[in-house]
Amino acid sequence: MENKKSVSTRDVEERMVVLRNQAVIADADVALLYGVHTKEINQAVRNNRDKFPNDYVFELNDNE
């Protein structure tokens, strides 16, 4: 995938959904915005846990 030069607020807002009363964006959408593979986004978060809030990542349940 090719890296994008910048991400606009509108680009982010268009991909947000409300879940558990919070605006969230899926890892796959973050990857698309930044022009990288989803695996790279997840790896960056996993390798840099101290740089992200505790509730930055959560898993969906079957109903969601």
Side-chain angles (χ1 to χ4, degrees):
M1 291 186 154
E2 189 175 305
N3 284 339
K4 278 185 129 180
K5 50 188 172 300
S6 66
V7 176
S8 73
T9 302
R10 182 181 172 129
D11 290 334
V12 173
E13 288 173 345
E14 288 175 348
R15 289 169 173 79
M16 293 178 108
V17 296
V18 176
L19 189 63
R20 299 180 192 170
N21 295 318
Q22 290 187 323
V24 298
I25 185 167
D27 55 356
D29 287 328
V30 174
L32 281 173
L33 288 169
Y34 286 98
V36 298
H37 295 280
T38 305
K39 178 180 178 179
E40 294 174 79
I41 295 296
N42 293 327
Q43 204 169 34
V45 172
R46 189 172 46 252
N47 292 338
N48 297 285
R49 277 285 193 205
D50 56 326
K51 295 182 181 181
F52 296 93
N54 289 337
D55 61 351
Y56 183 78
V57 175
F58 62 89
E59 290 185 32
L60 301 177
N61 62 42
D62 290 338
N63 295 327
E64 296 167 328

